[in-house]
Amino acid sequence: NEGKLMRMHTAVRLNSAIRIKSGSAALIIINFPAPPSKLAAEENYMEYLEALTEGLDRVLMVRGSGQEVVTIYS
């Protein structure tokens, strides 16, 4: 339970920082947090996402592959 509380506290703090820095932005793009591996944790995951995006008008969550690709032209 302490781990869940810490994650929610982190989501609330991050939401606050986003609202301060980008609250007036037309679109906020953030990294999509990885979903839980256990099916039982899905409810907490959705609560986490709600806390992360609360009060933000437009949020686009992007999930990458975790592997950076660098080319000679970048």
Side-chain angles (χ1 to χ4, degrees):
N1 285 341
E2 189 173 318
K4 293 177 188 176
L5 185 60
M6 296 261 312
R7 279 190 293 278
M8 288 304 289
H9 182 65
T10 300
V12 170
R13 285 185 17 220
L14 184 55
N15 174 273
S16 177
I18 292 170
R19 289 170 67 168
I20 290 168
K21 297 284 185 176
S22 303
S24 62
L27 176 66
I28 297 170
I29 302 172
I30 61 174
N31 186 40
F32 188 73
S37 58
K38 296 180 182 176
L39 208 55
E42 284 184 8
E43 182 178 330
N44 293 329
Y45 179 66
M46 294 306 293
E47 289 174 1
Y48 174 82
L49 293 179
E50 286 179 13
L52 184 63
T53 60
E54 183 178 352
L56 303 173
D57 290 334
R58 290 185 180 93
V59 178
L60 174 64
M61 294 184 178
V62 179
R63 181 79 177 144
S65 66
Q67 297 179 352
E68 297 296 327
V69 177
V70 179
T71 66
I72 192 169
Y73 302 108
S74 59

